[in-house]
């Protein structure tokens, strides 16, 4: 098969040479022959040195998503080896897990493809035109390698629009699946994989749930802020924390989290409250002139949604992060622990810790860092592709 060649302008090859897979439209010098959107092309620098092969789409700002540094074909053998490698990575780094992200796009050298495994069901999410064309092939290879009960598609990301793709949801193999029980670290979580349902599951915190559970061992009082389905709260209770209170503004999430607490036999130790975390923390810490804040928690978890999707709104996001840290620190007992996470790609580890420290300066507290967290190993970080890293977290002891 002869492939068209896309030649880059001088100076545009460096990022690709270091292993980043995206070619932007404005770095293209020329195409040697016409290419249809979704086709495979080879990419060369202006000296004709091969940089790799990938899917082309003129409608996208990312005009080529490289799949390999060499010349390849996107045939069954290609997908079989990539998917088998992804599976081997999870088996190596999360040997006990039965639910995890099986393929995480760029992290697994399959830009445009995400596959989550929920027990014996796979959920596929495709975000590029080239990958979309390979859906049937990918489905077949997944059936072969994983033998799932069903393969569902939930391709509904905003990025599909930029690739000229409509949303696509449904059953790719097997029978429809609705509500099911998913195991994370031996705890049961209810999730509904059916179309349009709100209670999906964040898999990227699986390793951190276990780690924070350990921090909660022996705690009297734990506060889980932005708890969603109760991931941190339930792990804390299971580890032996005596009283866990969890907050989320979504009534649906609180209802599901409450059912999860019952399913795991910890409902006597966990309480859930539908509340805005900002307002709740404020009500406990902004008191009248003669009132005193009583620090009561041994562990506080902060795992908010990303406060910023763009670089431009980072300053606003930082104010939000500082605010919740400031108030949380006031509610923490001396010797207590703060486990805090940030899933915004635009706020890196250093900037995030700066915000925590700024809050500690304002409350006149001294913090000692006792743990650093990243996303679970099923969301692998490839340092050459900075976009693959987004979740960071720290645990601090409030020394005084
Ligand atoms: N800790 C969770 C993930 C949190 S995702 C887990 O481990 O699964 C962010 C959650 O924050 C969502 O459930 C959302 O409903 C909630 N949320 C967003 N803004 C909020 C606010 N201001 N107050 C309370 N909850 C909020």
């Amino acid at each position: 098969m002869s492939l068209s060649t896309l030649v880059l302008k001088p100076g545009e090859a460096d990022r690709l040479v270091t292993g980043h897979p995206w070619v932007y439209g404005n770095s293209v010098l020329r195409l040697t022959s016409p290419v249809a959107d979704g086709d495979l092309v080879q990419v060369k620098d202006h000296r004709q040195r091969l940089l790799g092969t990938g899917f082309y789409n003129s409608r996208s700002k990312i005009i080529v998503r490289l799949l390999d540094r060499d010349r390849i074909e996107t045939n069954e053998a290609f997908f079989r080896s990539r998917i088998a490698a992804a599976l081997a990575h999870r088996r190596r780094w999360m040997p006990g897990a039965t639910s995890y992200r099986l393929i995480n796009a760029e992290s697994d050298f399959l830009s445009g493809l995400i596959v989550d495994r929920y027990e014996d069901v796979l959920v596929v999410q495709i975000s590029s035109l080239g990958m979309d064309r390979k859906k049937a092939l990918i489905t077949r290879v997944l059936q072969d390698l994983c033998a799932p009960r069903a393969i569902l598609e939930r391709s509904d990301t905003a990025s599909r629009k930029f690739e000229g793709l409509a949303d696509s949801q449904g059953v790719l193999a097997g029978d429809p699946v609705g509500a099911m029980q998913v195991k994370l670290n031996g705890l049961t979580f209810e999730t509904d994989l059916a179309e349009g349902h709100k209670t999906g599951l964040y898999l990227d915190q699986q390793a951190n749930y276990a780690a924070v559970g350990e921090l909660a061992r022996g705690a009297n009082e734990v506060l889980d802020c932005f708890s969603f389905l109760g991931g941190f709260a339930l792990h804390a209770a299971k580890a032996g924390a005596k009283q866990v209170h969890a907050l989320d503004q979504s009534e649906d999430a609180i209802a599901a989290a409450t059912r999860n607490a019952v399913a795991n036999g910890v409902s006597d130790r966990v309480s859930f409250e539908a509340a805005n975390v900002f307002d709740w923390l404020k009500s406990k810490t902004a008191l009248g002139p003669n009132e005193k804040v009583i620090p009561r928690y041994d562990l506080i978890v902060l795992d908010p949604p990303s406060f910023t999707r763009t670089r431009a709104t980072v300053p606003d996001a930082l104010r939000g992060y500082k605010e919740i840290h400031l108030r949380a620190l006031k509610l923490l007992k001396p010797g207590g622990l703060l486990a805090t996470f940030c899933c915004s790609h635009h706020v890196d580890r250093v900037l995030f810790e700066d915000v925590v420290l700024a809050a500690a300066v304002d409350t006149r507290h001294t913090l000692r860092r006792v743990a650093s967290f990243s996303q679970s190993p099923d969301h692998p970080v490839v340092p050459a592709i900075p976009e693959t890293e987004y979740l960071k977290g720290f645990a601090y002891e409030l020394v005084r």
Side-chain angles (χ1 to χ4, degrees):
M1 189 176 69
S2 90
L3 289 183
S4 277
T5 302
L6 182 145
V7 183
L8 297 181
K9 291 176 190 164
E12 295 289 343
D14 294 0
R15 206 182 56 257
L16 302 182
V17 171
T18 64
H20 200 285
W22 297 347
V23 178
Y24 292 103
N26 57 12
S27 62
V28 177
L29 186 65
R30 66 192 163 86
L31 273 164
T32 56
S33 57
V35 189
D37 287 343
D39 279 358
L40 211 54
V41 289
Q42 49 182 353
V43 177
K44 293 185 173 176
D45 71 6
H46 72 290
R47 293 201 178 84
Q48 296 297 316
R49 181 172 51 144
L50 180 66
L51 297 167
T53 318
F55 288 129
Y56 174 87
N57 188 350
S58 65
R59 300 178 62 155
S60 171
K61 208 168 77 177
I62 303 170
I63 200 164
V64 181
R65 294 163 179 272
L66 289 183
L67 295 166
D68 203 279
R69 290 172 197 259
D70 290 320
R71 262 205 65 157
I72 52 146
E73 284 179 45
T74 43
N75 53 17
E76 180 165 343
F78 168 80
F79 282 106
R80 188 173 281 276
S81 93
R82 284 288 151 95
I83 294 172
L87 200 53
H89 181 88
R90 276 70 186 170
R91 287 191 175 135
R92 178 173 184 191
W93 298 105
M94 305 182 77
T98 50
S99 292
Y100 46 76
R101 179 152 290 187
L102 170 56
I103 297 170
N104 191 40
E106 279 78 7
S107 301
D108 289 291
F109 315 104
L110 288 167
S111 181
L113 179 65
I114 286 175
V115 180
D116 287 328
R117 174 182 168 195
Y118 296 98
E119 305 300 310
D120 54 359
V121 176
L122 299 181
V123 179
V124 173
Q125 194 182 86
I126 293 177
S127 61
S128 82
L129 178 62
M131 227 23 117
D132 201 65
R133 296 254 183 93
K134 300 289 177 183
K135 191 158 50 184
L137 179 55
I138 292 165
T139 301
R140 207 155 22 130
V141 173
L142 286 171
Q143 276 178 302
D144 219 36
L145 291 179
C146 308
R149 166 162 66 101
I151 304 180
L152 311 181
E153 180 179 20
R154 284 194 75 164
S155 297
D156 53 6
T157 53
S159 55
R160 278 176 74 90
K161 213 172 53 238
F162 305 114
E163 293 269 337
L165 289 165
D167 285 358
S168 176
Q169 308 207 355
V171 179
L172 298 177
D175 295 323
V177 180
M180 63 181 288
Q181 303 288 333
V182 168
K183 290 263 184 205
L184 301 177
N185 306 305
L187 282 169
T188 299
F189 290 84
E190 165 195 304
T191 186
D192 198 325
L193 304 177
E195 275 176 48
H197 209 275
K198 286 194 199 98
T199 48
L201 208 60
Y202 292 99
L203 296 168
D204 55 1
Q205 289 282 31
Q206 186 163 191
N208 300 330
Y209 289 152
V212 171
E214 285 305 311
L215 299 178
R217 207 170 280 285
N220 282 315
E221 294 215 41
V222 175
L223 179 67
D224 177 10
C225 297
F226 309 95
S227 70
F228 191 45
L229 305 182
F232 287 107
L234 298 186
H235 279 77
K238 197 73 183 177
K242 295 201 179 58
Q243 253 333 302
V244 183
H245 193 56
L247 307 169
D248 198 286
Q249 70 182 10
S250 154
E251 303 269 359
D252 284 353
I254 291 294
T258 305
R259 292 192 293 273
N260 288 338
V262 173
N264 289 290
V266 294
S267 53
D268 56 328
R269 277 170 283 151
V270 192
S271 49
F272 292 96
E273 182 181 345
N276 180 312
V277 168
F278 285 86
D279 297 342
W280 193 94
L281 288 175
K282 197 167 177 183
S283 74
K284 304 288 180 202
T285 51
L287 302 178
N290 297 319
E291 297 170 308
K292 226 172 134 3
V293 179
I294 302 166
R296 54 180 289 196
Y297 294 102
D298 303 290
L299 169 65
I300 298 180
V301 180
L302 298 176
D303 182 26
S306 173
F307 289 155
T308 170
R309 301 259 169 236
T310 63
R311 203 163 286 286
T313 56
V314 165
D316 289 339
L318 295 181
R319 269 191 294 280
Y321 286 121
K322 184 170 172 191
E323 158 101 11
I324 53 175
H325 285 89
L326 203 70
R327 300 201 184 273
L329 287 174
K330 291 183 182 176
L331 291 172
L332 205 56
K333 281 189 202 156
L337 300 173
L338 173 71
T340 181
F341 296 89
C342 170
C343 60
S344 170
H345 171 69
H346 297 287
V347 177
D348 68 15
R349 218 164 253 286
V350 173
L351 193 52
F352 183 50
E353 183 157 68
D354 278 351
V355 176
V356 181
L357 290 188
V361 167
D362 284 10
T363 54
R364 301 178 54 80
H365 283 311
T366 302
L367 299 178
R368 189 150 58 190
R369 194 197 309 142
V370 293
S372 286
F373 307 111
S374 178
Q375 57 226 40
S376 289
D378 54 342
H379 293 63
V381 175
V382 178
I385 315 171
E387 294 82 358
T388 57
E389 182 170 29
Y390 63 97
L391 182 62
K392 70 281 309 175
F394 300 108
Y396 302 95
E397 176 193 2
L398 192 147
V399 179
R400 62 178 77 86

